[in-house]
Amino acid sequence: MKFIAVTACPTGIAHTYMAAESLEKTAKELGHEIKVETQGAMGIENELRPADIKGADALILAADIAIENAERFEGIPRIEVPVQLALKDPKSIFAKVPNRG
Amino acid sequence: MPEVYEYRFVCPLPNGVHARPANSLEQVVAGFTESQVWLTNLSNQKIANARSILSLVGADIKAGDECVLKVEGDNCGPAYREIVRFLKEKFPSCDDVLPPAAFMSEVYIPPVLRAAGVPMIFGCKAVSGFGRGSVVIVEALKLPSGLDPRETVRPEQELRKIEKAVAEHRSDITIKLGSGRLTSVESKVLEAHLSIASDVEFLDRVRCLIRQQGICAGQAIIESFAYFSEILKAAQSELIRERIVDLQDVCSHLLKKIYGSAASDQIVLSCPSVCVADNLTPSQFISMDKTMLSGLVLMHGGNTSHTVILARSFGIPTVTGIKDATILSNGQEVVVDATYGIVITEMNAQAERYYAAEHRKQEFQQRYFDDFLDKPAKTVDGVRLEVMANVATADEVLMAMAGGAEGIGLFRTEMLFMGRDSAPSEEEQFNEYKKAAEYAAGKPVIIRTFDIGGDKSVSYLNLTSEDNPFLGYRGARVYRDYEGLLKNQLRAILRASAFGCLKIMIPMVSCLEEVTYVRSLLDRIKTELDVRSLAYDKSISLGIMVEVPSVVFVIPQLAGLVDFLSIGTNDLTQYFLAIDRGNERVSSLYQSRHPGLLGLIQKIVEDAHRHKLWVGMCGEMAGQVDHLPLLLGAGLDEVSVSIPAVAAIKARCADYDSRDCRTIFERAVAAKSAGQVDMLLAEQQREPVGRPVIELSLIDLDADCINKEEAIKYASDMLYYAHRTEKPSELEQHFWQREGVYSTGLGYGFAVPHCKTRAVCAHSICLMRLKQPIVWKSIDDKPVDIVIAMTIRDGQTAGDTHMKIFSKLARRIMHDDFRGMLRSLQDRQAVLAYLQEKLAL
């Protein structure tokens, strides 16, 4: 499957990036494609472009705060989880059934 | 026929029967002089005389306690009905809601100490620092020294003394109550005092002691106080225990009425001690051996009381406003931690570890400051700021010199005049000033002529009390009326000026005439000394304190009359902002960083320099390290601060560029609020260029921490030792704020506490391998043995290349091999090299 993801945590120093790394690593293990945008202390990095969004099967939102530019993802099926789940049990995230966006 | 009536009821008061409700009940009962009225608390079988507040309070009646009212006497029916009506209708609502004990919940306790679970009592921070010693309780109630309580006592005479003192004290309170200036709570407290002062049981006991034991009035008061305070101490309600203070207050007033303020002021300390007192007088403080004084615990006494100012000068950790100091007893070992406003009444191993760490930090800081002791304070661009000290005695001059002071910017002479029955002689003063001049060894000593009045009263001057003493008869305003006193002082200073570099400063000047008057007096004394062929410094400088806003606008006119100015910010601030610094209701408006006040300071310095006048600052504002950029920016020639602050200010000067400070100061003068000035001050602390995010000193592979609290403190302290934070405690709080969102325990034995804060001067990462694993509340519930603390300097993150290191590190931590290496590498160099390689530093 083709995933896109956004990670964001309260301070944007550690968990945003740890979660991103964890999602990328796990997707690879499970044979999925993924592109993860981080919204941390450095602002938006690895930004999801319209082309990325259009081609995605599902969006993973691993965020403890409201993310920026959320309107980009309207209509995309989504899996919303706390950031910590991406560290604790990333595989379970990919097993979830996405909600209609 | 005597009648007896009984009435059962349940105490409806949420705080129990403390002094105020007891007072209300007592007043109702007092209307029926023929009857005897008793109140029995069935829950403890204590029986109280309802005519005595102390007796009622002593019955320890709490909310919900069942009680029996008993009224006895001839025709006591009406009394009984009236009292019952009161109990039913008014009693339940005669207790106001008390002002909340805000300081209890707002107080910040370092997490390590909180986790240690040591018992502590809370107050307000007055002079920061910590110290340990045995408690020495300074009794508030003392007979004048040399008075034998049993010698030649004529009971009738002693009884008359009591009646007279009680009557006078009652009338004092009544006048205060009638002044219409009190809050309702203050009035209630005074009403309670009034009743205590005429409490039947209390007065009976005092009279009884005088008659039966033949002791003097004062001793009888002290013994009665001891008796009733024991009863009150036994009460379970804290509110009732607090009434001991009221009783003590009344008793000490009575003693003063009888004996004047002649009680002995000498306090002898024989081992490291923590002095506990209701209120300590400056002379009591001076009498103590400061090398034995580890801390002060005062029940009263605000930040600006003179004893507190003295304590600051000596660097004695001081906590004020302690309400429950009565639980402390003589000889008990306590720690006073005035940095947080607490007194720890019993230490344990964890708290010992905390203070050992704090002690190391203090020593480290001292070593750092020591480098600056003998150096003149200079900014990066070579601009000088003279850093001098404020003192009140010649002995302090010696301490100031040892502490790195470049002179004495303010020698307060009031201390010589206060706490005694007559003014000090010229000779006594001469000796003190001569000693100061000699101790300063050629460095300048600015002696301020006596500033009496306002909050500093002196009995032998017979100054009457005023409604508004700070705007009244004080400072230079009293000089013409006490010319003899001033002449003595000026003569003493002039004569002592032959032994060093003395300068004279006039306090509280509001117009030129006050200066010309002192100047002409000085000239006359010089001529007189010339005639007597006595040596003195013929070019002795004369200056004034700038405290009254009006003089700010006559600096050009002052130019020919004086040689220097010193800004006294404490009074200048309160006069300029119209804020009584002692009034808690408006004290939050007493802002040293008010842009208007900074503008005023700007004008003072500019006008002074335009007219070639040297200008310094000697108020509390000068001593706060955080203000330094403003003081440097204003272009002051000198600051005079408390002795312990001298080295810190000197060290900090070296961190600043005066040109940057000038910009900040100009922006601060133009700011909209004190809050905005705070922001400016926080922003200006720039990141030192080229500081690596991690370095050897930020790696510890053998960290000794027994819990998460210690680990976070340890990381904060590491950053302090590496000169990346000056406020490790604030940094620690920021880590904990983040932990409060959710724990940063990551699993795999790793924890990554982090924060974004202005408390660090540079982005930093510190890595600790712990000697023993600790509980952190991790995702996998496993203990943590590796802590990687990440701190980002707030305010400069956008587009910052350093930030990439943090995200790289965070991503690496998710990989087993990276974690494995951090756990297994042999030494710090290897860890640093590995991190540099992996994070491409």
Side-chain angles (χ1 to χ4, degrees):
Chain A
M1 271 172 73
K2 229 176 152 174
F3 287 91
I4 51 173
V6 178
T7 61
C9 68
T11 49
I13 296 172
H15 288 76
T16 300
Y17 305 102
M18 294 192 296
E21 188 73 11
S22 176
L23 289 175
E24 285 166 12
K25 206 171 72 165
T26 311
K28 203 170 161 190
E29 283 167 25
L30 298 173
H32 297 304
E33 263 186 66
I34 192 165
K35 179 174 177 183
V36 187
E37 173 180 306
T38 51
Q39 295 190 2
M42 279 185 295
I44 294 177
E45 286 175 291
N46 201 30
E47 188 174 350
L48 294 169
R49 306 278 169 198
D52 302 320
I53 299 168
K54 208 174 155 197
D57 296 312
L59 165 73
I60 296 172
L61 260 183
D64 295 327
I65 52 169
I67 63 156
E68 293 194 34
N69 306 334
E71 68 286 349
R72 288 176 292 172
F73 307 114
E74 264 172 43
I76 310 286
R78 63 185 58 198
I79 298 163
E80 289 185 55
V81 295
V83 173
Q84 279 190 298
L85 191 64
L87 312 182
K88 192 176 181 177
D89 189 4
K91 279 187 183 150
S92 72
I93 297 174
F94 291 93
K96 282 182 193 287
V97 179
N99 293 324
R100 288 277 123 212
Chain B
M1 262 304 281
E3 300 163 28
V4 181
Y5 294 97
E6 282 194 0
Y7 169 71
R8 281 172 96 97
F9 68 102
V10 171
C11 172
L13 301 166
N15 296 312
V17 180
H18 58 89
R20 275 177 282 134
N23 182 28
S24 307
L25 176 59
E26 182 259 356
Q27 279 174 4
V28 175
V29 175
F32 303 97
T33 47
E34 305 296 309
S35 320
Q36 291 193 327
V37 186
W38 307 97
L39 204 61
T40 306
N41 180 356
L42 293 178
S43 73
N44 58 16
Q45 295 305 322
K46 284 187 184 169
I47 301 170
N49 177 353
R51 293 191 184 284
S52 160
I53 295 192
L54 291 174
S55 181
L56 281 169
V57 167
D60 196 13
I61 300 167
K62 294 183 298 301
D65 281 355
E66 220 181 318
C67 303
V68 177
L69 171 84
K70 191 165 148 195
V71 182
E72 273 182 275
D74 292 336
N75 300 317
C76 64
Y80 169 78
R81 283 188 292 278
E82 187 59 31
I83 296 168
V84 169
R85 200 156 67 95
F86 166 79
L87 285 175
K88 279 182 180 162
E89 289 170 11
K90 296 201 177 133
F91 194 56
S93 58
C94 69
D95 186 14
D96 284 351
V97 176
L98 290 165
F103 65 95
M104 284 284 279
S105 52
E106 281 168 17
V107 72
Y108 170 81
I109 307 294
V112 173
L113 281 181
R114 217 184 310 129
V118 283
M120 53 180 83
I121 51 180
F122 304 89
C124 309
K125 348 171 178 176
V127 181
S128 66
F130 59 91
R132 172 195 297 226
S134 356
V135 168
V136 172
I137 294 174
V138 180
E139 294 294 341
L141 302 181
K142 248 170 136 180
L143 290 180
S145 55
L147 179 78
D148 183 340
R150 288 172 200 281
E151 202 180 5
T152 62
V153 166
R154 296 220 304 272
E156 287 315 313
Q157 201 178 353
E158 297 303 307
L159 287 170
R160 272 199 300 279
K161 281 184 192 165
I162 292 284
E163 307 309 332
K164 186 164 171 273
V166 168
E168 283 177 10
H169 184 45
R170 282 177 56 93
S171 105
D172 285 355
I173 297 178
T174 314
I175 289 167
K176 266 192 213 158
L177 283 170
S179 72
R181 287 200 187 176
L182 304 169
T183 64
S184 67
V185 172
E186 282 170 334
S187 299
K188 287 266 166 65
V189 169
L190 277 184
E191 277 163 18
H193 282 196
L194 191 60
S195 306
I196 290 173
S198 41
D199 191 283
V200 281
E201 296 249 320
F202 177 72
L203 292 177
D204 272 356
R205 183 146 203 107
V206 172
R207 291 190 195 107
C208 205
L209 284 167
I210 293 173
R211 280 204 201 92
Q212 293 176 358
Q213 301 193 13
I215 55 177
C216 70
Q219 187 63 23
I221 290 171
I222 291 171
E223 288 183 17
S224 304
F225 168 72
Y227 173 81
F228 284 107
S229 62
E230 275 311 309
I231 293 177
L232 296 178
K233 236 182 242 182
Q236 282 176 24
S237 152
E238 194 184 318
L239 272 168
I240 291 176
R241 287 199 302 269
E242 274 183 17
R243 297 284 74 80
I244 296 173
V245 181
D246 292 338
L247 181 60
Q248 181 178 324
D249 207 52
V250 169
C251 291
S252 79
H253 276 108
L254 294 179
L255 288 180
K256 270 192 203 129
K257 291 277 175 215
I258 298 172
Y259 302 107
S261 48
S264 161
D265 280 334
Q266 287 289 321
I267 298 166
V268 182
L269 306 176
S270 53
C271 61
S273 306
V274 168
C275 244
V276 178
D278 185 33
N279 209 341
L280 210 61
T281 63
S283 43
Q284 282 176 319
F285 180 86
I286 288 173
S287 79
M288 288 189 281
D289 176 1
K290 257 62 78 186
T291 60
M292 289 294 186
L293 186 60
S294 319
L296 272 186
V297 176
L298 304 176
M299 281 171 250
H300 300 109
N303 262 328
T304 47
S305 87
H306 287 91
T307 302
V308 171
I309 289 173
L310 275 175
R312 192 167 295 136
S313 165
F314 282 89
I316 306 291
T318 302
V319 175
T320 60
I322 290 260
K323 301 274 185 242
D324 37 7
T326 39
I327 66 164
L328 299 172
S329 47
N330 270 316
Q332 181 185 359
E333 182 92 356
V334 297
V335 168
V336 176
D337 192 338
T339 308
Y340 302 103
I342 54 175
V343 179
I344 298 176
T345 52
E346 206 183 312
M347 291 288 281
N348 64 17
Q350 265 175 277
E352 294 286 357
R353 285 169 62 89
Y354 173 84
Y355 283 104
E358 288 302 288
H359 187 68
R360 274 196 300 279
K361 232 158 52 188
Q362 210 174 44
E363 282 181 335
F364 173 84
Q365 188 181 49
Q366 198 50 54
R367 279 198 302 277
Y368 176 66
F369 288 162
D370 282 351
D371 292 345
F372 292 89
L373 287 185
D374 301 326
K375 292 182 199 153
K378 248 189 217 164
T379 60
V380 178
D381 55 328
V383 171
R384 283 275 287 117
L385 177 72
E386 291 173 66
V387 183
M388 303 202 196
N390 298 340
V391 302
T393 58
D395 290 339
E396 285 172 83
V397 176
L398 209 53
M399 285 170 48
M401 295 302 130
E406 298 174 72
I408 301 301
L410 171 63
F411 187 122
R412 296 184 174 93
T413 56
E414 296 80 66
M415 239 37 112
L416 282 165
F417 290 79
M418 290 162 76
R420 52 194 293 161
D421 298 324
S422 60
S425 67
E426 178 188 324
E427 215 50 33
E428 185 182 344
Q429 291 187 62
F430 165 71
N431 287 329
E432 184 78 359
Y433 307 147
K434 174 172 177 256
K435 204 157 84 171
E438 286 171 346
Y439 284 161
K443 288 177 180 162
V445 178
I446 299 177
I447 298 184
R448 182 175 74 182
T449 48
F450 62 90
D451 181 10
I452 288 167
D455 54 345
K456 292 162 271 194
S457 69
V458 168
S459 56
Y460 52 87
L461 292 189
N462 295 318
L463 302 175
T464 47
S465 68
E466 301 176 8
D467 278 353
N468 211 337
F470 282 102
L471 301 183
Y473 191 61
R474 59 172 294 203
R477 299 168 183 187
V478 311
Y479 286 174
R480 279 175 202 273
D481 297 332
Y482 294 93
E483 190 172 285
L485 222 55
L486 181 63
K487 274 165 85 177
N488 267 350
Q489 182 169 39
L490 290 174
R491 205 180 296 114
I493 300 172
L494 274 175
R495 284 173 54 205
S497 71
F499 299 88
C501 175
L502 297 187
K503 301 179 182 201
I504 300 171
M505 181 158 69
I506 316 170
M508 264 297 285
V509 171
S510 54
C511 57
L512 257 59
E513 292 89 325
E514 289 159 343
V515 185
T516 44
Y517 167 71
V518 176
R519 179 113 247 173
S520 67
L521 210 57
L522 194 65
D523 288 339
R524 266 161 53 198
I525 299 166
K526 282 183 180 174
T527 318
E528 183 196 311
L529 293 181
D530 286 335
V531 171
R532 289 162 61 195
S533 306
L534 287 171
Y536 66 92
D537 176 3
K538 293 200 190 307
S539 57
I540 193 163
S541 298
L542 178 70
I544 61 161
M545 294 275 289
V546 180
E547 297 171 281
V548 182
S550 57
V551 296
V552 175
F553 297 88
V554 293
I555 291 173
Q557 294 92 308
L558 278 165
L561 281 174
V562 300
D563 306 296
F564 66 91
L565 308 176
S566 185
I567 307 173
T569 53
N570 297 7
D571 277 332
L572 183 64
T573 309
Q574 77 170 352
Y575 292 145
F576 187 61
L577 300 180
I579 297 298
D580 173 359
R581 59 185 156 124
N583 182 340
E584 281 170 26
R585 287 192 164 176
V586 292
S587 59
S588 64
L589 294 172
Y590 182 89
Q591 295 162 331
S592 305
R593 294 176 303 284
H594 189 299
L597 182 68
L598 297 176
L600 192 73
I601 291 170
Q602 186 179 41
K603 179 169 172 55
I604 298 169
V605 178
E606 282 176 2
D607 283 3
H609 285 168
R610 198 170 296 130
H611 293 92
K612 307 268 180 302
L613 293 174
W614 180 95
V615 56
M617 179 184 281
C618 61
E620 305 264 315
M621 181 182 180
Q624 288 165 16
V625 176
D626 291 345
H627 290 153
L628 196 54
L630 297 176
L631 307 180
L632 287 166
L636 287 167
D637 296 302
E638 176 250 23
V639 290
S640 191
V641 303
S642 65
I643 297 167
V646 169
I649 299 271
K650 282 174 116 183
R652 273 296 280 277
C653 275
D655 294 341
Y656 295 109
D657 186 309
S658 73
R659 291 159 296 189
D660 297 339
C661 292
R662 180 147 288 272
T663 313
I664 294 162
F665 182 67
E666 279 162 9
R667 288 173 65 196
V669 169
K672 292 196 173 111
S673 64
Q676 224 177 56
V677 176
D678 288 342
M679 295 281 288
L680 281 169
L681 285 174
E683 270 169 27
Q684 55 75 38
Q685 197 187 22
R686 288 181 313 170
E687 181 181 359
V689 184
R691 204 109 191 244
V693 171
I694 187 158
E695 56 192 336
L696 265 192
S697 62
L698 295 178
I699 299 173
D700 189 331
L701 301 185
D702 205 19
D704 180 20
C705 306
I706 55 173
N707 55 26
K708 178 173 174 176
E709 286 80 6
E710 279 197 4
I712 287 179
K713 175 183 163 55
Y714 198 94
S716 308
D717 287 354
M718 267 170 89
L719 288 159
Y720 171 78
Y721 287 123
H723 297 290
R724 285 166 186 257
T725 182
E726 281 170 10
K727 297 167 178 166
S729 170
E730 192 182 318
L731 176 59
E732 199 183 336
Q733 290 178 49
H734 285 131
F735 278 127
W736 279 104
Q737 272 164 17
R738 172 58 193 83
E739 292 299 314
V741 181
Y742 52 79
S743 170
T744 58
L746 188 64
Y748 323 105
F750 273 65
V752 286
H754 55 269
C755 60
K756 192 156 103 180
T757 169
R758 286 189 195 277
V760 288
C761 68
H763 300 326
S764 310
I765 292 169
C766 55
L767 186 144
M768 296 147 55
R769 237 154 52 190
L770 305 182
K771 273 185 179 169
Q772 53 201 346
I774 58 175
V775 174
W776 199 285
K777 195 163 175 278
S778 294
I779 287 174
D780 59 4
D781 291 326
K782 291 205 177 107
V784 162
D785 62 346
I786 296 193
V787 178
I788 302 178
M790 305 190 233
T791 55
I792 285 178
R793 159 85 182 147
D794 196 3
Q796 50 189 83
T797 48
D800 188 333
T801 49
H802 277 111
M803 283 292 301
K804 285 236 178 333
I805 296 163
F806 288 87
S807 59
K808 244 184 207 170
L809 172 64
R811 284 173 177 272
R812 288 279 170 197
I813 292 172
M814 297 313 294
H815 295 270
D816 297 338
D817 54 339
F818 185 75
R819 294 195 301 267
M821 287 298 276
L822 291 185
R823 193 167 268 132
S824 62
L825 284 166
Q826 282 302 311
D827 55 42
R828 297 197 299 161
Q829 280 81 2
V831 171
L832 182 63
Y834 180 71
L835 286 173
Q836 282 170 336
E837 181 207 325
K838 288 294 168 188
L839 306 178
L841 290 169

